[in-house]
């Protein structure tokens, strides 16, 4: 695991965007695994700037997002589909049909998990997976647990994640209690992984990178992946 410490959030966003831009430039039809949350917002902003300068072409890019809340549809402004449309997809020349987020409104949730896992396989796997990290070390919505879930599944969100994510909802009761998420196995099958963490996550990143590998701190499994870059902002 390569941990790069940078001065601040702007530097983090520039560096992460450079890595993603590199991937898009060397493989125009890359499958990008994408993440939501505050941490990657700056990265998407820099990617849009690069696109506007004519430096990037997303026309052949395919994307699969890590997760989505159960019960929210893409029109709801707290959904991860909405987040992606707003922060990236609507601002670049990506073909929306090539962008994938689990369907939060799926009636048959188990079938949706299976469909999403198979879709990733059919796309040939993820070339580069972008990740954030939760305060408890979760990646995607894989919360601390006794096992590492292997495939896309429904996760019950912990109290601390619900509280942390409630800032984006009117009230804490509005935060869904479950989410579709790639499993730890799904994430680990990505060819390359890029994790971005703002300064408030420095401690948990340190534990994940240097502490024991344990499902109680899900991100620690990344120590076993052969191509992980972690960028942490200093302030
Ligand atoms: C959510 C997402 C994660 C994300 C985490 C941290 O729970 N499911 O994928 O990494 O929040 O988000 P933030 O970057 O906003 O702190």
């Amino acid at each position: 695991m390569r941990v790069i410490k940078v001065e601040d959030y702007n530097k983090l966003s520039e560096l992460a965007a450079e890595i993603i831009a590199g991937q898009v430039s060397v493989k125009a039809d890359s499958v990008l695994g994408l993440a939501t949350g505050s941490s990657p917002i700056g990265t998407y902003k820099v990617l849009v700037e690069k696109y506007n300068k004519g430096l990037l072409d997303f026309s052949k890019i395919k994307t699969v997002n890590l997760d989505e809340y159960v019960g929210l549809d893409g029109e709801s402004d707290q959904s991860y589909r909405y987040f992606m449309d707003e922060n990236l997809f609507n601002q670049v020349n990506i073909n929306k049909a090539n962008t994938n987020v689990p369907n939060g409104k799926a009636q048959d949730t188990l079938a949706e998990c299976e469909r999403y896992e198979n879709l990733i396989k059919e796309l040939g796997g993820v070339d580069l997976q972008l990740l954030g990290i939760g305060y408890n070390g979760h990646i995607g919505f894989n919360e601390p647990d006794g096992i590492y879930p292997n495939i896309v599944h429904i996760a019950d969100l912990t109290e601390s994640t619900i509280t942390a994510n409630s800032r984006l909802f009117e009230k804490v009761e509005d935060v869904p209690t479950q989410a579709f998420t790639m499993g730890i196995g799904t994430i680990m099958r990505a060819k390359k992984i890029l994790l971005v963490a703002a300064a408030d996550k420095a401690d948990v990143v340190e534990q994940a990178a240097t502490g024991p590998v344990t499902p109680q701190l899900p991100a620690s499994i990344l120590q076993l992946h052969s191509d992980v870059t972690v960028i942490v902002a200093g302030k």
Side-chain angles (χ1 to χ4, degrees):
M1 191 187 291
R2 199 160 63 114
V3 181
I4 305 172
K5 294 191 176 139
V6 293
E7 207 183 316
D8 56 24
Y9 184 72
N10 285 341
K11 289 261 171 3
L12 171 148
S13 303
E14 278 161 25
L15 190 54
E18 280 302 343
I19 292 172
I20 297 170
Q23 176 68 40
V24 170
S25 304
V26 297
K27 189 175 175 211
D29 60 350
S30 290
V31 177
L32 300 180
L34 298 177
T36 56
S38 318
S39 315
I41 289 182
T43 305
Y44 294 140
K45 205 162 157 257
V46 179
L47 285 174
V48 169
E49 281 164 16
K50 286 183 185 295
Y51 167 75
N52 286 334
K53 285 183 192 150
L55 300 172
L56 277 179
D57 177 14
F58 289 88
S59 60
K60 297 201 185 83
I61 291 294
K62 289 161 238 157
T63 68
V64 279
N65 261 77
L66 273 172
D67 45 18
E68 177 62 284
Y69 289 115
V70 170
L72 297 192
D73 66 30
E75 249 114 82
S76 149
D77 56 7
Q78 288 96 4
S79 74
Y80 288 169
R81 158 56 74 181
Y82 187 92
F83 174 103
M84 289 311 304
D85 286 349
E86 288 291 298
N87 286 288
L88 185 66
F89 302 152
N90 289 346
Q91 302 195 54
V92 297
N93 67 335
I94 199 160
N95 177 354
K96 278 276 187 82
N98 288 336
T99 67
N100 300 283
V101 182
N103 175 10
K105 281 298 231 187
Q107 290 297 312
D108 185 342
T109 50
L110 282 181
E112 177 59 7
C113 293
E114 209 179 316
R115 180 195 74 82
Y116 205 70
E117 183 72 33
N118 286 336
L119 169 83
I120 298 168
K121 258 187 225 133
E122 281 155 22
L123 290 172
V126 172
D127 290 300
L128 175 63
Q129 177 67 55
L130 179 62
L131 295 178
I133 185 169
Y135 291 109
N136 58 7
H138 75 232
I139 46 177
F141 269 124
N142 294 278
E143 300 279 30
D145 200 353
I147 53 149
Y148 295 110
N150 189 32
I151 54 176
V152 176
H153 61 286
I154 304 266
D156 293 322
L157 309 192
T158 61
E159 219 43 58
S160 76
T161 298
I162 291 173
T163 308
N165 292 2
S166 66
R167 68 189 193 278
L168 305 167
F169 291 78
E170 222 168 89
K171 46 188 192 312
V172 71
E173 294 77 37
D174 294 344
V175 185
T177 54
Q178 291 189 314
F180 291 97
T181 181
M182 285 188 193
I184 292 290
T186 324
I187 295 170
M188 289 293 278
R189 285 187 284 280
K191 294 171 190 108
K192 292 176 229 127
I193 294 176
L194 172 62
L195 188 149
V196 290
D200 56 340
K201 306 281 176 51
D203 287 350
V204 71
V205 166
E206 173 82 19
Q207 284 176 49
T210 60
V213 174
T214 163
Q216 293 303 337
L217 203 147
S220 63
I221 192 79
L222 298 174
Q223 291 181 35
L224 304 185
H225 193 285
S226 58
D227 193 342
V228 179
T229 303
V230 178
I231 309 175
V232 199
K235 59 173 190 286

